Amino acid sequence: VLATFFICSDSDYIRESIENHVPEKWMTKLYNIVNGLVKSLGGYLKAQGIMISITFLELFIFFYKNS
């Protein structure tokens, strides 16, 4: 947890040092990959949230009727 905090607090410095050492062509590809991963993760979390909500409603109705 502590390491995650320090990595997050130094993320600007880490990003700048990577950008200085990696060619610009590679950086554009890297940004495209990261953006695609973020969009995919967002879609996955949205789908999981919908499934959890549906399951909760089904169980709530079932337990409410049987109590």
Side-chain angles (χ1 to χ4, degrees), residues 30-47:
L30 182 63
Y31 282 134
N32 289 338
I33 291 171
V34 169
N35 287 337
L37 287 173
V38 168
K39 286 181 184 179
S40 297
L41 181 63
Y44 175 77
L45 292 175
K46 182 178 176 182

Side-chain angles (χ1 to χ4, degrees), residues 18-31:
I18 290 173
E19 288 175 353
N20 290 336
H21 290 92
V22 176
E24 188 174 328
K25 184 178 178 182
W26 290 8
M27 287 304 298
T28 56
K29 289 181 182 181
L30 182 63
Y31 282 134

Side-chain angles (χ1 to χ4, degrees), residues 7 14 28 48:
I7 290 172
I14 293 169
T28 56
Q48 290 296 319

